[in-house]
Amino acid sequence: MNSDSDLQIAGDILEVPHLLQPPREHPSTVAEFAGLARALAADRAQWEPLVQYDATSRWYHRLRTGPGYEVWLLSWVPGQGTGPHGHGRSSGVLTVLDGVLTERSERGVRALGAGVQRVFGAGYAHEVVNDTLSPAVSLHVYFPGLTEMPVVPGVGLGACAPATPPASLGAV
């Protein structure tokens, strides 16, 4: 009888490329959309020169579109926020690229630092705000593309509650 330590898989997966799926030109699963957002976030040279800051309203730029999805780049100066809202029939991936954003939802208040991703389905409601003293930048992937952001009263029920900073950020 073999023990688990004696168990081996024959061959090397890299030696059987016919088993590997080619990367898709356009994502079609939640995991692929999250992967697209991570890849775009890692390519700072692509998005950083596009970022602008506007003291009067949140700045946004459509970075990419594909069949059934769109990618937006947003900047947030201190104090800017979305107000409580939903995303209609769209699901999404929110990735913080720089700074810290606070998300308020029925699940509570949480600080989202650079590199943090939030994946949400259709019907998810929240409020996002930059309540720090530094600007922030975020990347948003919506599938299908965002066609509405209905106001959802009551989402920011602890709107005055401070976010708990992520352990990696220390005090904000």
Side-chain angles (χ1 to χ4, degrees):
M1 180 179 244
N2 291 341
S3 69
D4 285 344
S5 62
D6 294 332
L7 186 61
Q8 294 182 2
I9 297 174
D12 181 347
I13 189 66
L14 299 178
E15 296 297 324
V16 285
H18 62 282
L19 295 177
L20 301 176
Q21 293 183 353
R24 295 179 192 256
E25 180 180 355
H26 297 290
S28 62
T29 67
V30 172
E32 290 172 345
F33 283 113
L36 170 64
R38 281 192 306 275
L40 291 170
D43 190 0
R44 192 173 192 98
Q46 179 185 24
W47 60 263
E48 189 173 42
L50 301 172
V51 175
Q52 298 176 27
Y53 297 97
D54 185 337
T56 59
S57 67
R58 281 180 302 122
W59 173 88
Y60 52 92
H61 172 76
R62 188 162 54 191
L63 193 60
R64 177 184 290 188
T65 61
Y69 71 93
E70 57 188 14
V71 180
W72 291 88
L73 184 63
L74 281 77
S75 71
W76 314 69
V77 299
Q80 288 180 337
T82 61
H85 68 283
H87 304 91
R89 61 187 190 98
S90 299
S91 297
V93 179
L94 158 65
T95 305
V96 179
L97 303 177
D98 267 336
V100 178
L101 294 172
T102 299
E103 179 189 39
R104 295 179 178 96
S105 71
E106 291 179 350
R107 295 182 178 180
V109 180
R110 63 177 71 160
L112 309 174
V116 172
Q117 276 190 317
R118 297 283 290 133
V119 176
F120 55 87
Y124 182 71
H126 64 167
E127 177 179 29
V128 180
V129 64
N130 178 357
D131 59 9
T132 71
L133 297 177
S134 300
V137 180
S138 59
L139 184 82
H140 303 249
V141 180
Y142 297 107
F143 48 98
L146 191 63
T147 58
E148 61 179 315
M149 283 183 57
V151 173
V152 180
V155 168
L157 291 175
C160 294
T164 303
S168 62
L169 294 176
V172 176

